[in-house]
């Protein structure tokens, strides 16, 4: 029995709603597991377009990775096997369109989730913050690669270096949002788009999407550079900033990165 998401299907358009506002729809392992099951069920049912949204339209869409589940210092917080990393791969690999419908603020790994969706529709409350620099955390190499495929470097720099919220107007201007609509048009605009995609050739869209995500991953990297990337990340998650970032969140105080 799902406890943190709601799932429905209507004429090969699926809906997956985050429904755990008490924890600000944080993407913990249990929630991610339910979402992975939902995507697999959608695929079995031939769902051609998935709308990813929240059950309640509140001021927060999702608070991102469940910080309570992040490991302590000295352990990679975002390994390949991390549940949220697995969800991002599942969204990129879904053989149809995944469309994020955003009302409210989107934090950290939830930003990564939205930007791994194929299309993003938001209203004037939609805002996006990528937060490893708030937590003293080394972002995942695949996450950085995908952000760089999606947005200009200076915009990724702004997200990663400030960890500030980018508001809806600017999110639309820089390409985070495909559509920026008024709140009263958000549902209709999102499902009009989903039904449009659903009406097109599923075979053609499946082949396009899986090719596109394969091309995005196709980056030549020497073994030496791979090792260097791992070392860069190891030095951060073994360092003082990461310990301070996690402690500060748990103690509900601003971090002090001396
Ligand atoms: C667990 C939470 C969370 C949460 N985890 O409500 O991108 S990376 O690399 O950084 C990646 C590792 C990542 O995604 O990290 C997480 C990044 N997310 C954030 O930095 C956002 C952290 N959350 C907040 O700043 C606030 O909660 C927001 C602004 C989202 C909402 O603030 P609001 O005042 O409305 P509270 O902070 O009171 O949160 C309500 C409950 O949800 C928990 C939080 O601990 C609180 O639990 P209690 O009621 O038990 O105190 N919560 C919020 N975010 N990411 N738990």
């Amino acid at each position: 029995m799902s406890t943190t998401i709601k799932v429905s299907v209507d004429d090969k358009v699926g809906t997956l709603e985050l429904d755990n506002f008490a924890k600000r729809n944080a993407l913990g392992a249990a929630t991610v597991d339910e979402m992975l099951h939902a995507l697999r069920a959608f695929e079995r049912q031939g769902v051609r377009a998935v709308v990813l949204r929240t059950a309640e339209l509140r001021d927060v869409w999702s608070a991102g990775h469940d910080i309570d589940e992040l490991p302590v210092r000295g352990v990679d917080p975002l390994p390949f096997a991390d549940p949220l990393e697995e969800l991002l791969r599942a969204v990129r690999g879904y053989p149809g369109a995944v469309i994020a419908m955003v009302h409210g603020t989107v934090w950290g790994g939830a930003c990564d989730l939205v930007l791994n969706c194929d299309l993003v529709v938001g209203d004037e409350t939609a805002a996006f913050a990528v937060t490893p620099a708030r937590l003293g955390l080394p972002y995942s190499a695949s996450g950085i690669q995908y952000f760089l495929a999606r947005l200009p470097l200076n915009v990724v720099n702004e997200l990663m270096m400030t960890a500030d919220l980018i508001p809806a107007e600017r999110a639309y201007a820089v390409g985070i949002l495909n559509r920026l609509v008024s709140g009263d048009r958000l549902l209709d605009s999102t499902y009009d788009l989903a039904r449009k995609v659903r009406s097109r050739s599923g075979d053609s869209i499946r082949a396009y999407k899986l090719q596109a995500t394969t091309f995005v991953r196709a980056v030549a990297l020497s073994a030496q550079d791979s090792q260097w990337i791992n070392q860069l990340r190891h030095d951060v998650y073994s360092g003082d900033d990461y310990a301070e970032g996690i402690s500060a969140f748990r103690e509900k105080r601003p971090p002090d990165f001396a």
Side-chain angles (χ1 to χ4, degrees):
M1 172 64 184
S2 170
T3 56
T4 61
I5 69 169
K6 288 180 180 163
V7 178
S8 59
V9 179
D10 176 23
D11 184 25
K12 296 194 175 180
V13 173
T15 296
L16 197 169
E17 297 175 78
L18 299 174
D19 190 21
N20 185 17
F21 191 72
K23 205 162 186 183
R24 300 303 181 269
N25 294 323
L27 300 169
T31 296
V32 167
D33 190 51
E34 291 165 1
M35 295 173 77
L36 289 169
H37 276 89
L39 288 173
R40 284 193 281 269
F42 285 155
E43 191 168 346
R44 285 195 302 273
Q45 298 168 68
V47 167
R48 301 250 281 280
V50 175
V51 173
L52 175 60
R53 52 166 291 185
T54 54
E56 299 174 79
L57 301 186
R58 301 285 290 271
D59 57 344
V60 177
W61 193 83
S62 170
H65 201 296
D66 187 326
I67 298 174
D68 296 330
E69 294 181 4
L70 286 173
V72 297
R73 168 180 187 158
V75 176
D76 188 342
L78 295 176
F80 182 84
D82 174 74
L84 182 50
E85 294 295 315
E86 187 180 356
L87 177 64
L88 300 179
R89 293 192 292 271
V91 169
R92 290 199 293 266
Y94 186 79
V98 181
I99 302 168
M101 185 184 99
V102 181
H103 172 96
T105 54
V106 184
W107 301 84
C111 250
D112 211 334
L113 174 59
V114 167
L115 279 169
N116 275 270
C117 291
D118 302 291
L119 298 163
V120 185
V121 184
D123 68 14
E124 61 276 356
T125 68
F128 304 85
V130 178
T131 48
R134 279 178 190 241
L135 290 169
L137 182 138
Y139 211 60
S140 74
S142 57
I144 293 169
Q145 182 183 348
Y146 206 75
F147 271 124
L148 292 172
R150 191 85 177 225
L151 296 171
L153 175 59
N154 59 316
V155 175
V156 180
N157 290 347
E158 180 181 343
L159 283 162
M160 287 286 183
M161 293 178 178
T162 69
D164 281 343
L165 283 168
I166 288 191
E169 285 286 345
R170 180 150 165 65
Y172 179 64
V174 300
I176 293 174
L177 292 172
N178 291 85
R179 302 261 200 287
L180 172 56
V181 298
S182 58
D184 61 344
R185 290 277 306 131
L186 182 60
L187 265 173
D188 288 348
S189 300
T190 303
Y191 281 91
D192 287 350
L193 190 56
R195 284 188 285 269
K196 169 69 65 68
V197 172
R198 181 261 177 272
S199 75
R200 305 301 191 202
S201 162
D203 292 347
S204 171
I205 289 171
R206 175 182 180 280
Y208 156 73
K209 173 173 172 176
L210 298 183
Q211 287 178 81
T213 49
T214 303
F215 291 142
V216 164
R217 282 201 309 270
V219 171
L221 204 59
S222 67
Q224 177 181 312
D225 284 344
S226 296
Q227 286 174 313
W228 186 49
I229 284 170
N230 288 334
Q231 188 63 53
L232 283 168
R233 300 188 65 257
H234 173 273
D235 294 347
V236 178
Y237 64 71
S238 304
D240 294 337
D241 280 4
Y242 179 47
E244 166 59 13
I246 297 296
S247 303
F249 177 80
R250 290 185 173 145
E251 295 160 16
K252 297 189 183 290
R253 61 174 172 80
D256 176 13
F257 298 124

